[in-house]
Amino acid sequence: MPNYSRRQAYLPWGETFKWSSDCCLPTQPGQGLFLASDVQQLRQAIEECKQVILELPEQSEKQKDAVVRLIHLRLKLQELKDPNEEEPNIRVLLEHRFYKEKSKSVKQTCDKCNTIIWGLIQTWYTCTGCYYRCHSKCLNLISKPCVSSKVSHQAEYELNICPETGLDSQDYRCAECRAPISLRGVPSEARQCDYTGQYYCSHCHWNDLAVIPARVVHNWDFEPRKVSRCSMRYLALMVSRPVLRLREINPLLFNYVEELVEIRKLRQDILLMKPYFITCKEAMEARLLLQLQDRQHFVENDEMYSIQDLLEVHMGRLSCSLTEIHTLFAKHIKLDCERCQAKGFVCELCKEGDVLFPFDSHTSVCNDCSAVFHRDCYYDNSTTCPKCARLTLRKQSLFQEPGLDMDA
């Protein structure tokens, strides 16, 4: 990398140049050297190159070559204005935590000014929380706080479908940057975000597409729709968070989507298997519960869902993967581990058949004492649970013993 300590700018493509008022095309190597001692000389060279481009024949090779040189001159001017070595590695603004990027070859777009980031000669930063990217010169112009802070403090979705209130409620200004906007495109085009229902300018709304949570939980609709940049980042950070209590939001959805019923049964079974693994040394050593480390909420409850869960239900992938894990867990308890097998139940109603477990499909569990029975036996004798009756008799006999302290 050339040394610019003397504020001399050598053109970056390795050729030497000799400049005059009527030429901005390169000479052969060794025939001259262009030294731009300050920004003013670079600007003058740019103006001269633009003039030559206008004078050269249209679509000629010389004109195309001159255009390429003009681009390099402009980039070099930007480099002098934006020196990499003076920029800190970390910047903290509006709860964004920006880190200076080292990648030079990947072409990105600045989220603030909506122009290309030339990583080879421009300093740029990425927020580690919401992945907001921008030039270093644009950092101080950012007005929107990091959406990751909103995810941390208020992790919930807007569950009304496109809650539009109209441009007049926004005073005909962009909901984010407050720039004037209009549906007629004068002075700037108003673009609606399907998630928030608000209108944004073209700098804050790039017509990005995203699945809308409200449409999923109410209509089982996964069609991506246009959202603002801020909404897109928020939805991307929220996609794996289990914040949707489906049975409260839309209980009829389980009647419409059969896969959800199957998923709920598998999750209920896994919750019944969890106590076996917590008290089993072999299961803890094998870390069986880590099979669900990407969906920790599946071993905590059977009610909460993330948008990622629902996407995989829609694509038919979650049922298959969860069935495999369910089979693995059941195999450990019923076949591989003697300790877990010993915690099984014998049906006290018929006293026949194999050892029973609460997650077996043909069993029923007493709500009071958690004893397990064959489903047919339990429904035939639903008025009586032998274990509950035995526990009741034991309590009565204890209270009837002479000299027993009733308060104890």
Side-chain angles (χ1 to χ4, degrees), residues 105-379:
S105 59
V106 179
K107 186 184 293 186
Q108 302 287 353
T109 302
C110 176
D111 282 312
K112 178 58 185 176
C113 66
N114 200 13
T115 60
I116 293 176
I117 299 174
W118 298 94
L120 185 64
I121 62 172
Q122 291 179 314
T123 307
W124 60 291
Y125 288 82
T126 300
C127 174
T128 57
C130 65
Y131 307 106
Y132 189 101
R133 300 183 182 91
C134 70
H135 299 102
S136 61
K137 63 181 181 179
C138 296
L139 282 177
N140 293 329
L141 303 176
I142 296 173
S143 58
K144 197 72 173 177
C146 180
V147 296
S148 66
S149 62
K150 182 180 177 182
V151 171
S152 301
H153 302 148
Q154 188 183 6
E156 60 183 16
Y157 286 118
E158 169 61 64
L159 293 180
N160 293 315
I161 297 176
C162 194
E164 180 185 6
T165 56
L167 260 178
D168 59 335
S169 66
Q170 298 178 207
D171 197 23
Y172 293 90
R173 294 181 179 275
C174 172
E176 183 170 344
C177 71
R178 306 305 296 167
I181 54 176
S182 170
L183 293 176
R184 296 180 178 179
V186 179
S188 179
E189 176 190 6
R191 298 179 178 178
Q192 188 180 38
C193 172
D194 196 82
Y195 174 67
T196 65
Q198 295 179 309
Y199 291 88
Y200 299 80
C201 67
S202 58
H203 288 287
C204 301
H205 192 314
W206 297 4
N207 290 327
D208 296 299
L209 298 175
V211 173
I212 309 300
R215 296 185 182 274
V216 171
V217 298
H218 291 301
N219 298 333
W220 202 242
D221 178 5
F222 291 86
E223 183 70 25
R225 286 174 171 80
K226 294 178 181 179
V227 296
S228 67
R229 294 292 290 175
C230 184
S231 295
M232 184 198 69
R233 284 190 289 269
Y234 182 75
L235 293 174
L237 290 175
M238 286 284 291
V239 69
S240 298
R241 286 185 170 257
V243 296
L244 297 171
R245 199 181 295 271
L246 280 188
R247 276 186 284 185
E248 290 185 7
I249 299 170
N250 185 7
L252 295 179
L253 195 60
F254 288 86
N255 297 334
Y256 174 74
V257 184
E258 294 180 2
E259 292 87 347
L260 283 176
V261 178
E262 182 181 356
I263 295 297
R264 183 174 61 184
K265 179 62 171 66
L266 290 170
R267 291 182 63 175
Q268 290 172 345
D269 287 351
I270 288 172
L271 289 176
L272 293 171
M273 296 175 183
K274 180 181 176 181
Y276 289 85
F277 297 143
I278 292 176
T279 57
C280 176
K281 182 179 178 181
E282 294 181 9
M284 296 298 288
E285 290 177 352
R287 299 185 176 183
L288 288 179
L289 287 177
L290 288 183
Q291 295 286 332
L292 289 168
Q293 60 182 343
D294 294 333
R295 290 186 172 86
Q296 191 62 33
H297 53 289
F298 278 19
V299 296
E300 295 173 355
N301 60 72
D302 65 336
E303 297 179 350
M304 307 302 291
Y305 292 83
S306 69
I307 286 295
Q308 185 63 43
D309 295 335
L310 301 182
L311 278 167
E312 295 197 16
V313 171
H314 176 65
M315 293 184 287
R317 294 201 303 232
L318 183 57
S319 178
C320 295
S321 62
L322 205 56
T323 299
E324 291 179 3
I325 293 173
H326 182 281
T327 303
L328 176 66
F329 285 1
K331 180 174 179 292
H332 170 85
I333 295 172
K334 302 177 71 172
L335 298 177
D336 298 342
C337 179
E338 293 183 358
R339 294 179 182 178
C340 292
Q341 290 178 37
K343 297 174 184 176
F345 293 81
V346 174
C347 179
E348 294 188 43
L349 295 173
C350 69
K351 296 182 173 55
E352 296 178 357
D354 299 329
V355 177
L356 305 178
F357 294 89
F359 51 84
D360 287 333
S361 59
H362 62 286
T363 61
S364 291
V365 180
C366 176
N367 295 327
D368 297 324
C369 66
S370 300
V372 181
F373 309 93
H374 291 116
R375 180 175 298 171
D376 294 339
C377 297
Y378 188 71
Y379 285 127

Side-chain angles (χ1 to χ4, degrees), residues 380-399:
D380 291 343
N381 300 273
S382 57
T383 56
T384 322
C385 169
K387 186 174 180 181
C388 288
R390 188 167 61 253
L391 291 173
T392 301
L393 288 174
R394 183 179 300 173
K395 289 180 181 179
Q396 291 176 353
S397 63
L398 286 173
F399 287 127

Side-chain angles (χ1 to χ4, degrees), residues 70-120:
L70 176 61
I71 293 172
H72 282 287
L73 280 172
R74 284 178 168 171
L75 292 177
K76 187 55 62 180
L77 176 62
Q78 181 62 45
E79 184 183 24
L80 291 180
K81 290 181 178 180
D82 188 20
N84 292 348
E85 59 272 11
E86 295 180 2
E87 298 290 346
N89 288 326
I90 302 175
R91 297 282 298 275
V92 179
L93 291 167
L94 297 175
E95 299 188 65
H96 292 278
R97 188 171 180 84
F98 288 104
Y99 276 78
K100 185 165 69 174
E101 292 288 353
K102 301 184 182 299
S103 174
K104 302 298 182 182
S105 59
V106 179
K107 186 184 293 186
Q108 302 287 353
T109 302
C110 176
D111 282 312
K112 178 58 185 176
C113 66
N114 200 13
T115 60
I116 293 176
I117 299 174
W118 298 94
L120 185 64

